[in-house]
Amino acid sequence: MFSNKKIVLVGGSSGIGFAVAQQAISAGAEVVIASRSLEKLHAAAKQLGGRVRVEQVDASDEQSVIGFFQRVGSFDHLAITVKPQLPSGRFLENDLAAVTAAFDAKFWGQYRLAKHAVRHIRQDGSIVLTSGVASRRSYPGYSIVSAMNAATEALAKAIAIEVAPIRVNTVCPGFVDADRPIPGRIEYVRTLAPNLPLDRLGAAKEIAEAYLYLFGNAYSTGSVIVVDGGATC
Ligand SMILES: NC(=O)c1ccc[n+]([C@@H]2O[C@H](COP(=O)([O-])OP(=O)(O)OC[C@H]3O[C@@H](n4cnc5c(N)ncnc54)[C@H](OP(=O)(O)O)[C@@H]3O)[C@@H](O)[C@H]2O)c1
């Protein structure tokens, strides 16, 4: 389905982005995975095999983002799955420098990447941003996560009308199992989201399927696909 397509995945060295890379390669795409750590990227590329290229980029640094897209050249689809260090703590206790840095990496990181990607994306291509269920439900200690995810969804809808026919969509994941499962995580998630109908964490590959759908569906723009096991029911 994606043969002759070049797909760029910023955050593609682990988690959801890595699962998107696996599925894009299986669907015939040429894939570029990018993040800050070359060591992580090379390890991921070794696991991926196939048509994969690695590129270093820091979403927090505009010059790094500009240089990155110049090296990548023209391409078809971009997915951004950058995850910052998330400060844990309630609103009144949070350290402002830590929450500002997290917001900068995730929200402004996606803003910078989308802005500088547009001129390199082919006219029938697309951008997929990543939010998360805290955009639509409040959890104690997650105020900054709620704010950055809601801002991400609003940004995607706003730029979709400006950069058309390039399409811009968002995937909103629920609680996902990490590459190395974290002991006690499902118990913790049950305290946050007691009404979790499927009563399990999502798999990165289940979230990744939504990115592939959005790359391929030529009539989707400004959309948000929520893949959350019912966490927001
Ligand atoms: N996992 C969940 O339960 C969950 C739930 C809801 C939403 N989400 C969202 O889904 C997305 C992916 O999450 P994940 O759990 O799959 O993340 P992950 O496994 O931690 O991967 C994050 C990726 O982002 C890269 N990255 C981090 N900071 C970066 C920066 N400044 N510039 C460039 N790359 C950077 C990392 O590589 P380097 O360290 O090499 O830079 C890595 O490739 C995130 O937006 C997250 O907020 C996740």
Side-chain angles (χ1 to χ4, degrees), residues 43-191:
K46 200 168 162 193
Q47 257 186 285
L48 286 167
R51 291 202 297 166
V52 62
R53 168 177 156 193
V54 305
E55 282 291 344
Q56 202 168 25
V57 66
D58 182 355
S60 299
D61 176 346
E62 187 171 21
Q63 287 312 314
S64 165
V65 168
I66 291 169
F68 164 64
F69 286 119
Q70 281 167 351
R71 294 193 302 280
V72 167
S74 67
F75 64 98
D76 297 284
H77 301 288
L78 169 68
I80 309 169
T81 55
V82 168
K83 185 156 92 181
Q85 190 74 35
L86 294 175
S88 59
R90 297 202 172 213
F91 177 64
L92 293 179
E93 295 138 20
N94 267 333
D95 171 51
L96 214 54
V99 292
T100 305
F103 200 97
D104 184 75
K106 177 148 178 179
F107 174 76
W108 288 108
Q110 295 196 90
Y111 186 107
R112 284 181 202 100
L113 286 158
K115 177 180 168 68
H116 293 294
V118 166
R119 79 158 92 134
H120 300 277
I121 296 180
R122 298 188 183 105
Q123 291 295 287
D124 59 350
S126 75
I127 300 172
V128 184
L129 306 186
T130 306
S131 61
V133 283
S135 63
R136 50 203 63 224
R137 177 144 300 189
S138 301
Y139 304 108
Y142 275 63
S143 58
I144 194 63
V145 181
S146 289
M148 65 174 76
N149 287 338
T152 297
E153 292 178 14
L155 174 70
K157 281 179 182 290
I159 60 181
I161 63 167
E162 293 195 25
V163 304
I166 293 170
R167 299 176 292 105
V168 188
N169 294 293
T170 307
V171 172
C172 176
F175 298 95
V176 181
D177 225 349
D179 290 347
R180 287 197 198 107
I182 302 165
R185 184 159 146 85
I186 182 64
E187 289 76 15
Y188 171 65
V189 167
R190 283 192 194 111
T191 68

Side-chain angles (χ1 to χ4, degrees), residues 11 13-14 16 35-37 40 58-59 82-83 106 174 176 185:
S13 62
S14 68
I16 295 167
S35 73
R36 294 165 303 178
S37 159
K40 276 167 70 175
D58 182 355
V82 168
K83 185 156 92 181
K106 177 148 178 179
V176 181
R185 184 159 146 85

